[in-house]
Amino acid sequence: MQDILTGLNPAQKQAVEAVEGPVLILAGPGSGKTRVITHRIAYLIKVVGINPHRIMAVTFTNKAAREMETRLNLLAPSAAGRLTMGTFHAICARILRQDGLPLGVPADFVIYDDDDQQSLIKQAMAELELDPKRYPPASIRNAISQAKSQLVLPAYYFEKGRSYFEEVVGRVYELYEKRLKQNKALDFDDLLLKVVQLFKQHPEVLSRYQERYLHVMVDEFQDTNLVQYELVKMLSAKYKNICVVGDPDQSIYSWRSADLRNVFNFETDNPGAKVILLEQNYRSTKNILEAASCVIAPNSGRKPISLWTENESGQPIAVVETFNEQEEAQFVVSEIEKLTRYEKFSPGDIAILYRTNAQSRALEEAFIRYGMPYRLVSGTRFYQRREVKDIVAYLRLLQNPHDSVSLQRVINIPTRGIGAKTLSDLGQFAREQDISLYESLINLSDENAPKPPIPSRGLKPLTDFGLLLKSLITDAQNLPLLNLLDRLLEGINYREFLFASEDGEERWDNILELRTVAQQYQEIAPPEGLSAFLESVALVSDLDSLEEGVSAVTLITLHQAKGLEYPVVFMVGMEEGVLPHSRSFDDPAQMQEERRLCYVGVTRARKRLYLVRAFRRSLMGQSNVNEPSRYLKDIPQSITKGREKQPPPGQYTAASAASPVIKQHLQSAGMPVKSASPPAPKLLELEAGDKVLHPQFGEGIVTSINRVKNDAEVMISFHSVGMKRLMLSFARLTKLEN
DNA sequence: GCCTCTGGATTTTTT
DNA sequence: ATCCAGAGGC
């Protein structure tokens, strides 16, 4: 037990030893959070004597779970594999496969990702004859997902006093649920929600789990939504040993329903909760830490966490202005060149962080031009690639033939002459008979079964497809995964099909890559090998494959960078409109989140931090001049080292394209400077009473409009979120016909 | 049923 | 600038 507590600071030690009752650990960035969690688990096992089987540790990412597993193995090897450790979704999927039946969740359910979810929603909307122009499927999906994350059921939308938009959401939600059930499918939100429902409706199941888990720990608690919190509350209700670890300043996923109320209400929710602050930072230099503190300080309603470090002051923060994004990229690359050539840093020590994926483009081009190795985390994600999704859809169909979303996806892949008309006829028939699409296909080759009304010309491909599926489904029961996969690829002539398309070779390579992943499931006996594979495919992300120790510069979004650290960090695009993103301008809560995002970025850096901005930036095809990010102003000059642009080189003769420094120069020399600001945008013509659509808030009614300068303040009563005040130029409103 | 064109939108994406 | 979905033409 010596080794478990030695080397911990007093706060960490306190956190490790606080094993009784509810505990809230507020852990600043770089404060040794993972260390505390793993040591606490080791302490529970080796000192308190808890059976590892009775401990649950929940994380958000597979990567975090894996890391914890690895580190725990060093401390308490005997516990290996005996804990329940994993992501919320993985743990819930397991519970449902085992105990879902009483709730009507079949053990062989498939998991729908966001794309599948959207397909099914579109389909439901078509069935309800709802115009996707008026009710964007993405908004509806979002509304449904939000609802599910907050334990809201369709019935809520039919209560008195709901708006028409909400009623629409309710109707789609209801039908969507019905279709999910028919497809024996669950979406990501369901994995959590169904477990909560299972526990509520079947107390005997709940009490079994409650009995088992003496200790429940949750990592990244600031990212939990209401359902997730509800879940851990239920699980820990008997023994009340619930320990949550998080940092509200690093909450950047509210748009994925993360709810900070979970953190802020924890103490009132859990009387007698111990609160422990981890404030000593082991990661960054004093300068970097101070910059971080200054960035986050202006946010209101924060938990009182103030970071400190015994690390050296280090270098000043480099604040750099470049002309445009090409020059920004060039600066980054040449600076990296210097860092790796003249200093001790290697490319693997360096990361470039940005707000939006689109920003990676210019950077990549520069890296390629200079022949410098880089790795881009998640351009198009592997499991999102069309060819990979197609084959995964086939495999899902083999596990669960009722999965109509997958069936519709692959029914004409490769092209076999089954078009939209045939498909809709088939779909209508299936609905009328109340059978699945697969069953109606099978009916075609069964003499006694009712037949869908398909013109004879379209029949043959359908019948053949049905027979192909049927035989593959039998194979799925008997063949090891790789053999099954190969038989599938052969049965549909997939290689030939891909090679006939553009980028055929690359796409086939992706299939071979998928095959390599499948190889790991080869040893699991036939039907289970397939389902284990599919489950892992559904629940992994790209970040999971982010290897360490690669000798290349990492290009990564700020969101994805959470939880990572690098000796050298470049944050690019430090401009108003980029960070903070212009889409957040009209919502104070979102603006606070942008600030947290900046804070997350800054705190990724260990030794060196560069904050880079471009004077001009092309976004969506047009070039704009952006102000420096407000966050730059929050960092005191005493710890920064500015590197304003050099005097104008030849190519920057256009005054309108000059940096502010250059412009001043020109102006004082009596030269005319044309304003580089874009022309005032055309504003939407609106008046009170107009009906409008907002991409996030949905439909609303304009209650008042107040012109200011070139813009206007509009008050809008939204059906979904009530009254909001928005700036017309920023709010992406669409006018709807009254 | 397949191909081509156009219009619209384009933050972030742990599972 | 680009990507995608849906519409319309062959």
Side-chain angles (χ1 to χ4, degrees), chain A residues 80 168 494:
Chain A
V168 166
Y494 204 59

Side-chain angles (χ1 to χ4, degrees), chain A residues 382-685:
Chain A
F382 182 71
Y383 288 105
Q384 302 274 91
R385 286 173 190 277
R386 206 171 53 229
E387 60 276 15
V388 176
K389 285 212 74 170
D390 285 344
I391 294 306
V392 169
Y394 263 110
L395 292 174
R396 282 205 310 215
L397 200 48
L398 302 186
Q399 175 184 276
N400 167 14
H402 299 286
D403 174 359
S404 71
V405 168
S406 295
L407 191 142
Q408 285 179 62
R409 183 183 178 100
V410 301
I411 194 164
N412 205 26
I413 288 174
T415 356
R416 44 174 81 85
I418 303 173
K421 179 73 173 67
T422 310
L423 190 54
S424 87
D425 287 348
L426 192 71
Q428 198 177 346
F429 171 77
R431 277 203 298 279
E432 278 162 11
Q433 302 284 317
D434 201 24
I435 57 177
S436 66
L437 287 177
Y438 174 71
E439 285 167 313
S440 29
L441 280 182
I442 293 306
N443 275 7
L444 290 170
S445 31
D446 176 349
E447 289 183 11
N448 306 315
K451 301 280 183 299
I454 309 277
S456 56
R457 187 162 40 92
L459 269 178
K460 177 103 174 60
L462 279 183
T463 320
D464 289 350
F465 182 59
L467 290 174
L468 172 73
L469 283 184
K470 197 172 174 184
S471 102
L472 285 169
I473 287 165
T474 317
D475 292 340
Q477 299 303 313
N478 306 312
L479 294 181
L481 186 55
L482 272 189
N483 310 47
L484 176 68
L485 180 54
D486 288 339
R487 187 165 289 194
L488 164 67
L489 294 171
E490 217 164 288
I492 61 176
N493 262 323
Y494 204 59
R495 189 166 191 274
E496 288 67 27
F497 170 70
L498 282 190
F499 271 83
S501 73
E502 230 173 298
D503 304 319
E505 191 159 354
E506 190 189 327
R507 296 174 62 196
W508 179 249
D509 283 345
N510 288 327
I511 297 303
L512 292 181
E513 175 69 29
L514 184 69
R515 205 176 166 278
T516 313
V517 180
Q519 202 140 28
Q520 298 161 24
Y521 296 82
Q522 183 68 352
E523 300 306 317
I524 309 178
E528 277 76 34
L530 175 61
S531 50
F533 171 70
L534 287 175
E535 182 142 327
S536 79
V537 164
L539 301 178
V540 296
S541 79
D542 270 18
L543 218 50
D544 294 334
S545 59
L546 190 77
E547 298 156 59
E548 267 152 54
V550 174
S551 180
V553 177
T554 303
L555 271 56
I556 191 169
T557 65
L558 286 164
H559 281 90
Q560 291 176 316
K562 195 184 69 161
L564 305 177
E565 60 172 42
Y566 294 89
V568 182
V569 166
F570 289 83
M571 288 174 71
V572 297
M574 294 299 297
E575 297 134 47
E576 288 292 297
V578 179
L579 183 68
H581 198 275
S582 53
R583 294 272 235 153
S584 298
F585 283 164
D586 53 20
D587 183 338
Q590 281 197 59
M591 284 304 276
Q592 295 218 347
E593 186 149 314
E594 295 286 324
R595 193 174 273 288
R596 294 195 290 265
L597 201 47
C598 183
Y599 176 73
V600 166
V602 170
T603 53
R604 297 311 94 197
R606 296 180 53 197
K607 305 274 183 214
R608 302 287 181 88
L609 176 64
Y610 292 83
L611 303 173
V612 192
R613 72 183 179 96
F615 165 64
R616 243 174 194 284
R617 180 177 300 275
S618 297
L619 277 172
M620 295 173 213
Q622 66 169 357
S623 174
N624 295 100
V625 172
N626 293 325
E627 295 286 306
S629 169
R630 65 191 68 186
Y631 310 132
L632 292 175
K633 298 191 192 75
D634 295 323
I635 301 173
Q637 296 223 330
S638 56
I639 57 167
T640 66
K641 182 173 62 177
R643 298 194 198 175
E644 287 300 301
K645 263 202 61 55
Q646 302 297 310
Q651 71 258 42
Y652 304 148
T653 44
S656 63
S659 96
V661 184
I662 303 164
K663 273 208 297 198
Q664 261 181 8
H665 225 74
L666 295 173
Q667 244 162 358
S668 60
M671 296 171 101
V673 175
K674 224 173 77 194
S675 162
S677 313
K682 273 175 283 161
L683 292 179
L684 197 62
E685 294 281 352

Side-chain angles (χ1 to χ4, degrees), chain A residues 114-153:
Chain A
D114 296 7
D115 280 349
D116 306 318
Q117 195 184 6
Q118 186 133 331
S119 308
L120 195 57
I121 282 169
K122 267 193 210 153
Q123 202 184 305
M125 286 178 66
E127 237 179 279
L128 294 169
E129 297 181 329
L130 290 165
D131 179 7
K133 292 254 166 59
R134 185 155 194 155
Y135 307 101
S139 311
I140 306 265
R141 189 196 62 180
N142 200 35
I144 292 176
S145 175
Q146 298 274 338
K148 288 190 175 186
S149 313
Q150 295 176 61
L151 294 160
V152 171
L153 301 178

Side-chain angles (χ1 to χ4, degrees), chain A residues 300-312:
Chain A
S300 57
R302 294 178 50 226
K303 285 273 180 188
I305 308 175
S306 61
L307 297 175
W308 58 277
T309 184
E310 286 173 353
N311 293 344
E312 56 185 11

